Amino acid sequence: MSWAESDQTPTLGRLFSDAMAGRLRSPARQPGDALEPRHRNLAASLQARLEEVYLGMLRKLAKNAGRKAVCLAGGVAFNCVANGKIFDQTPFEQVYVQPAAGDGGLAVGAAYHVWHETLGKPRSFVMDHAYWGPGYTPAEIRQAVDGSALPREGYTVSELPEGELMRRTAAIIADGKILGWFQGRAEWGPRALGNRSIVADPRRPEMKEILNRRIKHREIFRPFAPSILAEKTGDWFEKSHPSPFMTLAYPVRRERRDKIPAPTHVDGTGRLQTVTEDANPRYHALIREFERQTGVPVVLNTSFNDNEPIVCRPEEALDCFLRTQMDALAVGNYLITRS
Protein backbone atom coordinates (compact mmCIF):
# COMPACT_ATOMS: atom_id res chain seq x y z
CA MET A 1 0.00 0.00 0.00
CA SER A 2 1.18 3.53 -0.76
CA TRP A 3 -0.18 6.98 0.05
CA ALA A 4 -1.01 9.58 -2.57
CA GLU A 5 0.92 12.77 -1.73
CA SER A 6 -1.91 15.09 -2.69
CA ASP A 7 -4.66 13.99 -0.35
CA GLN A 8 -3.17 11.17 1.76
CA THR A 9 -5.48 8.65 0.10
CA PRO A 10 -4.25 5.06 0.55
CA THR A 11 -3.77 3.29 -2.77
CA LEU A 12 -3.32 -0.43 -3.35
CA GLY A 13 -1.04 -1.84 -5.98
CA ARG A 14 -2.30 -4.44 -8.44
CA LEU A 15 -3.27 -7.62 -6.62
CA PHE A 16 -3.15 -10.02 -9.59
CA SER A 17 -0.77 -10.99 -12.36
CA ASP A 18 -1.18 -10.89 -16.13
CA ALA A 19 -1.92 -14.61 -15.95
CA MET A 20 -5.33 -13.91 -14.46
CA ALA A 21 -6.35 -11.65 -17.34
CA GLY A 22 -5.18 -14.35 -19.73
CA ARG A 23 -7.04 -17.09 -17.90
CA LEU A 24 -10.24 -15.06 -17.86
CA ARG A 25 -9.69 -13.98 -21.47
CA SER A 26 -10.46 -10.41 -20.55
CA PRO A 27 -8.26 -7.41 -19.77
CA ALA A 28 -8.82 -5.83 -16.37
CA ARG A 29 -11.44 -3.11 -16.31
CA GLN A 30 -9.98 0.20 -15.16
CA PRO A 31 -11.81 2.51 -12.72
CA GLY A 32 -14.13 4.76 -14.66
CA ASP A 33 -14.29 2.49 -17.72
CA ALA A 34 -17.71 1.72 -19.12
CA LEU A 35 -19.39 -1.48 -17.95
CA GLU A 36 -19.69 -3.72 -20.99
CA PRO A 37 -21.66 -6.98 -21.40
CA ARG A 38 -18.43 -8.99 -21.04
CA HIS A 39 -17.86 -7.49 -17.61
CA ARG A 40 -21.37 -8.40 -16.51
CA ASN A 41 -21.10 -11.90 -17.97
CA LEU A 42 -17.76 -12.56 -16.26
CA ALA A 43 -19.05 -11.33 -12.89
CA ALA A 44 -22.21 -13.44 -13.20
CA SER A 45 -20.22 -16.54 -14.17
CA LEU A 46 -17.81 -16.17 -11.26
CA GLN A 47 -20.70 -15.65 -8.85
CA ALA A 48 -22.50 -18.72 -10.18
CA ARG A 49 -19.37 -20.85 -9.81
CA LEU A 50 -18.76 -19.51 -6.30
CA GLU A 51 -22.30 -20.45 -5.29
CA GLU A 52 -21.91 -23.92 -6.79
CA VAL A 53 -18.79 -24.63 -4.72
CA TYR A 54 -19.85 -22.73 -1.58
CA LEU A 55 -23.33 -24.23 -1.29
CA GLY A 56 -21.96 -27.67 -2.18
CA MET A 57 -19.50 -27.44 0.71
CA LEU A 58 -22.30 -26.40 3.05
CA ARG A 59 -24.49 -29.32 1.97
CA LYS A 60 -21.60 -31.69 2.68
CA LEU A 61 -21.00 -30.02 6.04
CA ALA A 62 -24.65 -30.35 6.99
CA LYS A 63 -24.64 -34.04 6.09
CA ASN A 64 -21.47 -34.77 8.05
CA ALA A 65 -22.32 -32.65 11.09
CA GLY A 66 -26.02 -33.43 11.29
CA ARG A 67 -26.78 -29.88 12.41
CA LYS A 68 -29.37 -27.31 11.34
CA ALA A 69 -27.40 -24.19 12.29
CA VAL A 70 -24.16 -22.88 10.80
CA CYS A 71 -21.77 -20.07 11.73
CA LEU A 72 -19.69 -18.61 8.88
CA ALA A 73 -16.59 -16.42 8.77
CA GLY A 74 -14.00 -15.35 6.22
CA GLY A 75 -14.20 -12.95 3.31
CA VAL A 76 -16.51 -15.19 1.27
CA ALA A 77 -18.98 -15.10 4.16
CA PHE A 78 -19.68 -11.48 3.13
CA ASN A 79 -21.18 -12.75 -0.15
CA CYS A 80 -24.73 -11.87 0.80
CA VAL A 81 -26.23 -13.21 -2.45
CA ALA A 82 -24.83 -16.69 -1.83
CA ASN A 83 -25.73 -16.56 1.86
CA GLY A 84 -29.34 -15.77 1.04
CA LYS A 85 -29.59 -19.06 -0.89
CA ILE A 86 -28.43 -21.22 2.01
CA PHE A 87 -31.97 -21.71 3.32
CA ASP A 88 -33.33 -22.99 0.00
CA GLN A 89 -30.31 -25.00 -1.19
CA THR A 90 -28.92 -26.61 1.98
CA PRO A 91 -30.45 -28.29 5.06
CA PHE A 92 -29.38 -25.39 7.30
CA GLU A 93 -32.24 -23.48 8.94
CA GLN A 94 -30.18 -20.95 10.91
CA VAL A 95 -27.25 -18.89 9.63
CA TYR A 96 -24.96 -16.61 11.62
CA VAL A 97 -22.25 -14.41 10.08
CA GLN A 98 -20.48 -12.15 12.54
CA PRO A 99 -20.21 -8.47 11.50
CA ALA A 100 -16.40 -8.51 11.05
CA ALA A 101 -16.22 -11.89 9.33
CA GLY A 102 -13.12 -10.99 7.33
CA ASP A 103 -9.52 -10.67 8.46
CA GLY A 104 -10.42 -7.97 10.99
CA GLY A 105 -12.46 -10.46 13.00
CA LEU A 106 -9.92 -13.27 13.15
CA ALA A 107 -8.65 -12.10 16.54
CA VAL A 108 -12.05 -12.70 18.13
CA GLY A 109 -12.25 -16.22 16.77
CA ALA A 110 -8.71 -16.98 17.94
CA ALA A 111 -9.40 -15.58 21.41
CA TYR A 112 -12.60 -17.55 21.84
CA HIS A 113 -10.98 -20.73 20.55
CA VAL A 114 -8.40 -20.46 23.32
CA TRP A 115 -11.03 -19.42 25.88
CA HIS A 116 -13.35 -22.35 25.16
CA GLU A 117 -11.24 -25.12 23.62
CA THR A 118 -7.94 -24.68 25.48
CA LEU A 119 -9.06 -23.24 28.78
CA GLY A 120 -12.41 -25.01 28.88
CA LYS A 121 -14.40 -21.90 29.84
CA PRO A 122 -18.20 -22.00 29.42
CA ARG A 123 -19.88 -20.34 26.47
CA SER A 124 -21.94 -17.27 27.37
CA PHE A 125 -21.29 -14.30 25.05
CA VAL A 126 -23.59 -13.76 22.06
CA MET A 127 -22.67 -11.02 19.58
CA ASP A 128 -26.11 -9.74 18.66
CA HIS A 129 -25.02 -6.25 17.63
CA ALA A 130 -21.99 -4.64 15.99
CA TYR A 131 -21.73 -1.43 18.00
CA TRP A 132 -18.33 -1.98 19.63
CA GLY A 133 -16.50 1.06 18.29
CA PRO A 134 -15.94 4.50 19.80
CA GLY A 135 -18.85 6.57 21.08
CA TYR A 136 -18.99 10.23 22.01
CA THR A 137 -20.68 12.13 24.82
CA PRO A 138 -23.14 14.99 24.22
CA ALA A 139 -20.44 17.39 25.43
CA GLU A 140 -17.94 16.04 22.90
CA ILE A 141 -20.48 16.30 20.10
CA ARG A 142 -21.37 19.86 21.14
CA GLN A 143 -17.67 20.77 21.12
CA ALA A 144 -17.28 19.29 17.62
CA VAL A 145 -20.28 21.23 16.30
CA ASP A 146 -19.14 24.49 17.91
CA GLY A 147 -15.60 24.02 16.59
CA SER A 148 -16.58 23.00 13.06
CA ALA A 149 -16.22 25.03 9.89
CA LEU A 150 -19.98 25.44 9.50
CA PRO A 151 -20.57 28.73 7.64
CA ARG A 152 -22.69 31.30 9.44
CA GLU A 153 -24.97 31.63 6.43
CA GLY A 154 -26.95 28.85 4.76
CA TYR A 155 -27.13 26.38 7.66
CA THR A 156 -29.47 25.88 10.59
CA VAL A 157 -28.30 24.12 13.77
CA SER A 158 -30.86 22.85 16.29
CA GLU A 159 -30.45 20.76 19.45
CA LEU A 160 -33.63 18.70 19.77
CA PRO A 161 -35.28 16.27 22.21
CA GLU A 162 -35.37 12.74 20.85
CA GLY A 163 -39.03 12.68 19.80
CA GLU A 164 -38.69 15.89 17.81
CA LEU A 165 -35.42 14.68 16.29
CA MET A 166 -37.14 11.52 15.04
CA ARG A 167 -40.10 13.43 13.59
CA ARG A 168 -37.97 15.96 11.75
CA THR A 169 -35.36 13.53 10.41
CA ALA A 170 -38.02 11.09 9.18
CA ALA A 171 -39.76 13.99 7.43
CA ILE A 172 -36.47 15.02 5.80
CA ILE A 173 -36.03 11.49 4.41
CA ALA A 174 -39.67 11.27 3.30
CA ASP A 175 -39.21 14.57 1.45
CA GLY A 176 -36.54 12.97 -0.74
CA LYS A 177 -33.58 14.59 0.99
CA ILE A 178 -30.34 12.87 2.03
CA LEU A 179 -29.58 12.58 5.74
CA GLY A 180 -26.27 11.89 7.46
CA TRP A 181 -26.92 9.84 10.60
CA PHE A 182 -24.21 9.78 13.30
CA GLN A 183 -25.29 8.17 16.56
CA GLY A 184 -23.94 6.05 19.42
CA ARG A 185 -20.93 3.78 19.10
CA ALA A 186 -19.39 3.03 15.71
CA GLU A 187 -20.01 -0.29 14.00
CA TRP A 188 -17.33 -2.97 13.97
CA GLY A 189 -16.83 -4.42 10.51
CA PRO A 190 -17.25 -3.14 6.96
CA ARG A 191 -20.99 -2.41 7.07
CA ALA A 192 -22.67 0.78 8.27
CA LEU A 193 -25.55 -0.47 10.42
CA GLY A 194 -27.39 2.65 11.48
CA ASN A 195 -24.85 4.50 13.61
CA ARG A 196 -22.53 5.82 10.88
CA SER A 197 -24.97 5.81 7.97
CA ILE A 198 -26.35 7.94 5.19
CA VAL A 199 -30.11 7.43 5.08
CA ALA A 200 -32.53 8.15 2.25
CA ASP A 201 -36.02 7.37 0.93
CA PRO A 202 -36.26 3.83 -0.52
CA ARG A 203 -39.47 4.63 -2.40
CA ARG A 204 -37.78 6.80 -5.03
CA PRO A 205 -36.31 4.92 -8.03
CA GLU A 206 -33.94 7.81 -8.75
CA MET A 207 -32.42 7.83 -5.25
CA LYS A 208 -29.62 5.39 -6.09
CA GLU A 209 -28.44 7.60 -8.96
CA ILE A 210 -28.77 10.74 -6.81
CA LEU A 211 -26.64 9.26 -4.04
CA ASN A 212 -23.95 8.16 -6.48
CA ARG A 213 -23.89 11.52 -8.25
CA ARG A 214 -23.98 13.74 -5.18
CA ILE A 215 -22.08 11.77 -2.53
CA LYS A 216 -20.85 8.23 -3.12
CA HIS A 217 -19.25 8.60 -6.60
CA ARG A 218 -19.10 4.87 -7.24
CA GLU A 219 -20.24 2.32 -9.82
CA ILE A 220 -23.97 2.09 -10.34
CA PHE A 221 -24.02 -1.70 -9.79
CA ARG A 222 -22.88 -1.43 -6.16
CA PRO A 223 -25.92 -1.90 -3.93
CA PHE A 224 -27.53 0.19 -1.25
CA ALA A 225 -29.20 -1.62 1.61
CA PRO A 226 -32.77 -1.65 2.90
CA SER A 227 -32.83 -1.30 6.70
CA ILE A 228 -36.14 -2.72 7.91
CA LEU A 229 -37.90 -3.04 11.24
CA ALA A 230 -37.09 -6.64 12.19
CA GLU A 231 -40.69 -7.39 13.09
CA LYS A 232 -41.82 -6.46 9.54
CA THR A 233 -39.23 -8.53 7.63
CA GLY A 234 -41.57 -11.33 6.52
CA ASP A 235 -44.11 -8.81 5.25
CA TRP A 236 -41.65 -7.32 2.79
CA PHE A 237 -39.19 -10.15 2.01
CA GLU A 238 -39.65 -13.80 1.11
CA LYS A 239 -37.54 -14.83 4.12
CA SER A 240 -37.87 -13.66 7.71
CA HIS A 241 -34.65 -15.05 9.23
CA PRO A 242 -32.79 -12.15 10.96
CA SER A 243 -30.04 -10.36 9.05
CA PRO A 244 -28.75 -7.83 11.61
CA PHE A 245 -25.32 -7.43 10.01
CA MET A 246 -26.34 -6.99 6.37
CA THR A 247 -24.86 -10.34 5.32
CA LEU A 248 -27.89 -11.94 3.62
CA ALA A 249 -29.81 -11.02 0.47
CA TYR A 250 -33.46 -12.09 0.18
CA PRO A 251 -35.98 -11.65 -2.61
CA VAL A 252 -38.27 -8.70 -2.01
CA ARG A 253 -41.90 -9.81 -2.21
CA ARG A 254 -43.12 -9.11 -5.72
CA GLU A 255 -46.03 -6.99 -4.55
CA ARG A 256 -43.61 -4.82 -2.55
CA ARG A 257 -40.86 -4.22 -5.12
CA ASP A 258 -42.41 -1.08 -6.56
CA LYS A 259 -42.70 0.29 -3.01
CA ILE A 260 -38.92 0.17 -2.33
CA PRO A 261 -37.24 0.31 -5.76
CA ALA A 262 -34.11 2.20 -4.69
CA PRO A 263 -32.47 -0.58 -2.60
CA THR A 264 -33.94 -3.46 -4.65
CA HIS A 265 -31.37 -5.14 -6.92
CA VAL A 266 -32.03 -5.87 -10.59
CA ASP A 267 -32.72 -9.51 -9.65
CA GLY A 268 -35.45 -8.47 -7.20
CA THR A 269 -33.39 -9.07 -4.04
CA GLY A 270 -32.24 -6.75 -1.28
CA ARG A 271 -29.15 -6.94 0.96
CA LEU A 272 -31.19 -6.21 4.02
CA GLN A 273 -30.43 -5.18 7.59
CA THR A 274 -33.03 -6.20 10.15
CA VAL A 275 -33.18 -3.65 12.98
CA THR A 276 -34.42 -4.48 16.47
CA GLU A 277 -35.31 -2.04 19.21
CA ASP A 278 -33.04 -3.88 21.66
CA ALA A 279 -29.93 -3.70 19.44
CA ASN A 280 -30.36 -0.12 18.17
CA PRO A 281 -33.28 1.75 19.78
CA ARG A 282 -32.59 5.10 18.11
CA TYR A 283 -32.27 3.75 14.56
CA HIS A 284 -35.32 1.57 15.15
CA ALA A 285 -37.21 4.68 16.29
CA LEU A 286 -36.20 6.55 13.13
CA ILE A 287 -37.46 3.76 10.86
CA ARG A 288 -40.63 3.40 12.89
CA GLU A 289 -41.32 7.13 12.57
CA PHE A 290 -40.63 6.94 8.82
CA GLU A 291 -43.20 4.13 8.65
CA ARG A 292 -45.69 6.28 10.58
CA GLN A 293 -45.26 9.08 8.06
CA THR A 294 -45.13 6.98 4.87
CA GLY A 295 -46.48 3.49 5.59
CA VAL A 296 -43.09 1.93 4.66
CA PRO A 297 -41.03 0.32 7.49
CA VAL A 298 -37.83 0.55 5.43
CA VAL A 299 -35.15 3.18 4.83
CA LEU A 300 -32.27 3.12 2.37
CA ASN A 301 -28.96 2.80 4.23
CA THR A 302 -25.42 3.31 2.96
CA SER A 303 -22.14 3.99 4.72
CA PHE A 304 -21.33 7.51 5.91
CA ASN A 305 -18.34 8.28 3.68
CA ASP A 306 -17.24 9.48 0.27
CA ASN A 307 -14.48 7.24 -1.14
CA GLU A 308 -12.83 7.08 2.28
CA PRO A 309 -13.13 4.98 5.44
CA ILE A 310 -16.49 5.24 7.18
CA VAL A 311 -16.53 8.28 9.47
CA CYS A 312 -15.81 7.51 13.11
CA ARG A 313 -15.56 10.81 15.02
CA PRO A 314 -18.13 13.65 14.99
CA GLU A 315 -15.51 15.93 13.42
CA GLU A 316 -15.25 13.50 10.48
CA ALA A 317 -19.04 13.40 10.10
CA LEU A 318 -19.19 17.20 9.99
CA ASP A 319 -16.35 17.37 7.46
CA CYS A 320 -17.99 14.79 5.17
CA PHE A 321 -21.32 16.61 5.44
CA LEU A 322 -19.80 19.96 4.51
CA ARG A 323 -17.87 18.75 1.44
CA THR A 324 -20.64 16.62 -0.04
CA GLN A 325 -24.19 17.40 -1.06
CA MET A 326 -26.02 15.91 1.90
CA ASP A 327 -29.08 17.92 2.84
CA ALA A 328 -29.02 17.36 6.59
CA LEU A 329 -26.95 15.83 9.37
CA ALA A 330 -28.17 14.34 12.65
CA VAL A 331 -25.18 14.08 14.98
CA GLY A 332 -26.28 13.09 18.44
CA ASN A 333 -29.25 15.33 19.26
CA TYR A 334 -28.09 18.06 16.88
CA LEU A 335 -29.86 18.48 13.54
CA ILE A 336 -27.97 20.54 10.98
CA THR A 337 -29.76 21.44 7.76
CA ARG A 338 -28.77 23.37 4.65
CA SER A 339 -31.02 26.24 3.70
Side-chain angles (χ1 to χ4, degrees), residues 193-205:
L193 299 170
N195 279 5
R196 303 290 187 272
S197 291
I198 295 171
V199 187
D201 191 342
R203 303 171 300 163
R204 301 172 185 266

Side-chain angles (χ1 to χ4, degrees), residues 169-177 201 203-204 207 290 293-294:
T169 50
I172 285 169
I173 300 167
D175 195 35
K177 295 182 170 63
D201 191 342
R203 303 171 300 163
R204 301 172 185 266
M207 187 54 68
F290 183 78
Q293 295 185 22
T294 67

Side-chain angles (χ1 to χ4, degrees), residues 118-198:
T118 304
L119 301 179
K121 301 295 185 179
R123 297 174 183 268
S124 59
F125 174 70
V126 176
M127 190 187 298
D128 54 7
H129 69 79
Y131 310 110
W132 303 101
Y136 299 87
T137 66
E140 290 172 322
I141 291 174
R142 183 180 302 112
Q143 183 179 9
V145 172
D146 291 343
S148 72
L150 275 169
R152 294 182 179 274
E153 300 294 331
Y155 293 84
T156 301
V157 181
S158 307
E159 187 174 11
L160 303 171
E162 179 155 333
E164 181 64 15
L165 180 70
M166 296 304 120
R167 285 189 290 274
R168 289 182 59 177
T169 50
I172 285 169
I173 300 167
D175 195 35
K177 295 182 170 63
I178 299 171
L179 173 72
W181 184 255
F182 182 101
Q183 306 292 335
R185 298 182 63 168
E187 299 89 340
W188 183 47
R191 308 286 191 230
L193 299 170
N195 279 5
R196 303 290 187 272
S197 291
I198 295 171

Side-chain angles (χ1 to χ4, degrees), residues 192-265:
L193 299 170
N195 279 5
R196 303 290 187 272
S197 291
I198 295 171
V199 187
D201 191 342
R203 303 171 300 163
R204 301 172 185 266
E206 71 278 10
M207 187 54 68
K208 184 174 180 178
E209 190 274 333
I210 290 171
L211 280 165
N212 274 329
R213 174 168 45 83
R214 289 174 53 181
I215 299 170
K216 302 297 287 188
H217 307 118
R218 66 187 197 180
E219 298 96 339
I220 196 65
F221 62 79
R222 295 175 64 181
F224 296 111
S227 292
I228 184 170
L229 299 177
E231 59 271 25
K232 301 296 180 69
T233 304
D235 296 337
W236 288 75
F237 292 87
E238 293 182 7
K239 302 280 189 299
S240 58
H241 187 279
S243 178
F245 306 134
M246 210 183 289
T247 53
L248 298 160
Y250 298 154
V252 181
R253 290 191 175 277
R254 289 189 177 277
E255 68 274 17
R256 301 287 197 181
R257 291 178 188 177
D258 63 342
K259 306 293 185 185
I260 53 169
T264 300
H265 302 170

